[in-house]
Short mmCIF file of all heavy atoms in Angstrom, two decimals:
data_model
loop_
_atom_site.label_atom_id
_atom_site.label_comp_id
_atom_site.label_asym_id
_atom_site.label_seq_id
_atom_site.Cartn_x
_atom_site.Cartn_y
_atom_site.Cartn_z
N MET A 1 23.11 -30.70 30.12
CA MET A 1 23.18 -29.36 30.62
C MET A 1 22.84 -28.35 29.52
O MET A 1 23.51 -28.30 28.49
CB MET A 1 24.58 -29.05 31.19
CG MET A 1 25.00 -30.03 32.25
SD MET A 1 26.62 -29.67 32.96
CE MET A 1 27.67 -30.17 31.57
N ASN A 2 21.78 -27.59 29.73
CA ASN A 2 21.32 -26.59 28.75
C ASN A 2 21.42 -25.21 29.32
O ASN A 2 21.57 -25.03 30.57
CB ASN A 2 19.88 -26.88 28.36
CG ASN A 2 19.68 -28.25 27.72
OD1 ASN A 2 20.58 -28.72 27.01
ND2 ASN A 2 18.55 -28.85 27.94
N SER A 3 21.37 -24.21 28.45
CA SER A 3 21.44 -22.79 28.88
C SER A 3 22.62 -22.58 29.82
O SER A 3 22.48 -21.96 30.89
CB SER A 3 20.13 -22.39 29.56
OG SER A 3 19.02 -22.58 28.69
N LEU A 4 23.74 -23.07 29.42
CA LEU A 4 24.93 -22.94 30.29
C LEU A 4 25.37 -21.53 30.47
O LEU A 4 25.29 -20.70 29.55
CB LEU A 4 26.04 -23.83 29.73
CG LEU A 4 25.86 -25.34 29.96
CD1 LEU A 4 26.75 -26.13 29.04
CD2 LEU A 4 26.13 -25.69 31.41
N GLU A 5 25.90 -21.27 31.65
CA GLU A 5 26.36 -19.92 32.04
C GLU A 5 27.82 -20.04 32.47
O GLU A 5 28.28 -21.13 32.87
CB GLU A 5 25.53 -19.42 33.18
CG GLU A 5 24.05 -19.40 32.92
CD GLU A 5 23.22 -19.25 34.17
OE1 GLU A 5 23.79 -19.26 35.29
OE2 GLU A 5 21.98 -19.13 34.09
N PRO A 6 28.54 -18.91 32.38
CA PRO A 6 29.96 -18.98 32.84
C PRO A 6 30.12 -19.52 34.25
O PRO A 6 31.12 -20.20 34.56
CB PRO A 6 30.41 -17.54 32.70
CG PRO A 6 29.60 -17.02 31.56
CD PRO A 6 28.25 -17.64 31.74
N ASP A 7 29.13 -19.27 35.10
CA ASP A 7 29.20 -19.78 36.48
C ASP A 7 29.10 -21.31 36.58
O ASP A 7 29.34 -21.88 37.62
CB ASP A 7 28.11 -19.15 37.33
CG ASP A 7 28.45 -17.70 37.75
OD1 ASP A 7 29.63 -17.29 37.55
OD2 ASP A 7 27.54 -17.01 38.22
N ASP A 8 28.73 -21.91 35.47
CA ASP A 8 28.66 -23.37 35.48
C ASP A 8 30.04 -24.01 35.21
O ASP A 8 30.20 -25.22 35.28
CB ASP A 8 27.70 -23.89 34.39
CG ASP A 8 26.25 -23.50 34.69
OD1 ASP A 8 25.83 -23.64 35.83
OD2 ASP A 8 25.56 -23.03 33.75
N THR A 9 31.02 -23.17 34.96
CA THR A 9 32.38 -23.68 34.74
C THR A 9 32.90 -24.33 35.98
O THR A 9 32.90 -23.77 37.06
CB THR A 9 33.30 -22.52 34.34
OG1 THR A 9 32.90 -22.00 33.10
CG2 THR A 9 34.75 -22.99 34.23
N ALA A 10 33.31 -25.58 35.84
CA ALA A 10 33.76 -26.37 37.00
C ALA A 10 34.27 -27.73 36.50
O ALA A 10 34.05 -28.09 35.35
CB ALA A 10 32.64 -26.58 38.01
N VAL A 11 34.86 -28.46 37.41
CA VAL A 11 35.10 -29.88 37.18
C VAL A 11 33.87 -30.63 37.70
O VAL A 11 33.46 -30.41 38.82
CB VAL A 11 36.37 -30.38 37.90
CG1 VAL A 11 36.53 -31.89 37.69
CG2 VAL A 11 37.62 -29.60 37.40
N TYR A 12 33.32 -31.45 36.85
CA TYR A 12 32.11 -32.19 37.18
C TYR A 12 32.49 -33.63 37.55
O TYR A 12 33.16 -34.32 36.77
CB TYR A 12 31.16 -32.17 36.01
CG TYR A 12 30.42 -30.86 35.91
CD1 TYR A 12 31.08 -29.71 35.51
CD2 TYR A 12 29.04 -30.75 36.29
CE1 TYR A 12 30.42 -28.49 35.42
CE2 TYR A 12 28.41 -29.53 36.24
CZ TYR A 12 29.09 -28.40 35.81
OH TYR A 12 28.46 -27.19 35.74
N TYR A 13 32.06 -34.04 38.72
CA TYR A 13 32.41 -35.35 39.25
C TYR A 13 31.19 -36.25 39.32
O TYR A 13 30.11 -35.80 39.76
CB TYR A 13 33.00 -35.22 40.67
CG TYR A 13 34.31 -34.51 40.72
CD1 TYR A 13 34.34 -33.12 40.98
CD2 TYR A 13 35.52 -35.18 40.59
CE1 TYR A 13 35.54 -32.45 41.05
CE2 TYR A 13 36.73 -34.51 40.65
CZ TYR A 13 36.73 -33.14 40.88
OH TYR A 13 37.94 -32.49 40.95
N CYS A 14 31.38 -37.48 39.00
CA CYS A 14 30.37 -38.51 39.19
C CYS A 14 30.66 -39.24 40.48
O CYS A 14 31.82 -39.46 40.81
CB CYS A 14 30.39 -39.45 37.99
SG CYS A 14 29.27 -40.85 38.09
N ALA A 15 29.61 -39.65 41.20
CA ALA A 15 29.82 -40.36 42.45
C ALA A 15 28.74 -41.41 42.63
O ALA A 15 27.62 -41.26 42.14
CB ALA A 15 29.80 -39.37 43.63
N ALA A 16 29.07 -42.46 43.38
CA ALA A 16 28.12 -43.52 43.63
C ALA A 16 27.96 -43.72 45.16
O ALA A 16 28.94 -43.62 45.90
CB ALA A 16 28.60 -44.82 43.03
N VAL A 17 26.76 -43.96 45.56
CA VAL A 17 26.46 -44.17 46.99
C VAL A 17 25.83 -45.57 47.16
O VAL A 17 25.03 -45.99 46.35
CB VAL A 17 25.55 -43.09 47.54
CG1 VAL A 17 24.23 -42.99 46.76
CG2 VAL A 17 25.26 -43.28 49.02
N PHE A 18 26.25 -46.24 48.23
CA PHE A 18 25.75 -47.55 48.59
C PHE A 18 25.10 -47.43 49.96
O PHE A 18 25.78 -47.45 50.99
CB PHE A 18 26.87 -48.58 48.61
CG PHE A 18 27.42 -48.88 47.25
CD1 PHE A 18 28.19 -47.97 46.56
CD2 PHE A 18 27.14 -50.08 46.64
CE1 PHE A 18 28.69 -48.24 45.31
CE2 PHE A 18 27.61 -50.38 45.37
CZ PHE A 18 28.40 -49.48 44.70
N ALA A 19 23.79 -47.22 49.99
CA ALA A 19 23.11 -46.98 51.27
C ALA A 19 21.70 -47.57 51.29
O ALA A 19 20.82 -47.03 51.93
CB ALA A 19 23.06 -45.48 51.56
N GLY A 20 21.52 -48.67 50.55
CA GLY A 20 20.18 -49.22 50.53
C GLY A 20 19.25 -48.40 49.63
O GLY A 20 19.68 -47.60 48.82
N ASP A 21 17.96 -48.58 49.84
CA ASP A 21 16.97 -47.90 49.03
C ASP A 21 16.71 -46.48 49.59
O ASP A 21 15.65 -46.29 50.24
CB ASP A 21 15.70 -48.71 48.91
CG ASP A 21 14.71 -48.17 47.93
OD1 ASP A 21 15.15 -47.32 47.12
OD2 ASP A 21 13.54 -48.54 47.98
N VAL A 22 17.60 -45.59 49.38
CA VAL A 22 17.44 -44.22 49.90
C VAL A 22 16.86 -43.34 48.84
O VAL A 22 17.39 -43.19 47.76
CB VAL A 22 18.79 -43.69 50.41
CG1 VAL A 22 19.87 -43.76 49.35
CG2 VAL A 22 18.66 -42.29 50.98
N ARG A 23 15.74 -42.69 49.14
CA ARG A 23 15.06 -41.81 48.21
C ARG A 23 14.58 -40.55 48.96
O ARG A 23 13.97 -40.70 50.03
CB ARG A 23 13.89 -42.51 47.55
CG ARG A 23 14.30 -43.71 46.73
CD ARG A 23 13.09 -44.47 46.16
NE ARG A 23 13.49 -45.76 45.64
CZ ARG A 23 13.83 -46.00 44.39
NH1 ARG A 23 13.78 -45.05 43.48
NH2 ARG A 23 14.19 -47.22 43.99
N PRO A 24 14.73 -39.39 48.40
CA PRO A 24 15.44 -39.17 47.11
C PRO A 24 16.94 -39.43 47.22
O PRO A 24 17.46 -39.48 48.35
CB PRO A 24 15.12 -37.71 46.83
CG PRO A 24 14.97 -37.08 48.18
CD PRO A 24 14.32 -38.12 49.01
N PRO A 25 17.61 -39.56 46.13
CA PRO A 25 19.06 -39.74 46.20
C PRO A 25 19.72 -38.61 46.93
O PRO A 25 19.30 -37.45 46.79
CB PRO A 25 19.48 -39.75 44.70
CG PRO A 25 18.27 -40.11 43.96
CD PRO A 25 17.10 -39.57 44.73
N PRO A 26 20.69 -38.86 47.75
CA PRO A 26 21.24 -37.84 48.62
C PRO A 26 21.98 -36.74 47.87
O PRO A 26 22.54 -36.94 46.82
CB PRO A 26 22.21 -38.62 49.53
CG PRO A 26 22.50 -39.88 48.81
CD PRO A 26 21.31 -40.20 47.99
N ASP A 27 21.97 -35.56 48.48
CA ASP A 27 22.65 -34.41 47.88
C ASP A 27 23.90 -34.02 48.71
O ASP A 27 24.52 -33.00 48.42
CB ASP A 27 21.72 -33.21 47.81
CG ASP A 27 21.14 -32.78 49.14
OD1 ASP A 27 21.54 -33.37 50.19
OD2 ASP A 27 20.24 -31.92 49.17
#
């Protein structure tokens, strides 16, 4: 993460999805 701004303040979570070959990765 570059050029960070105060609005970027948050808890950042990592997550994994199991749904076969889905592209692009889901949002």
Side-chain angles (χ1 to χ4, degrees):
M1 303 181 288
N2 299 326
S3 302
L4 284 162
E5 305 164 354
D7 283 347
D8 294 316
T9 295
V11 177
Y12 283 72
Y13 295 93
C14 175
V17 57
F18 290 73
D21 189 15
V22 55
R23 297 177 194 265
D27 58 6

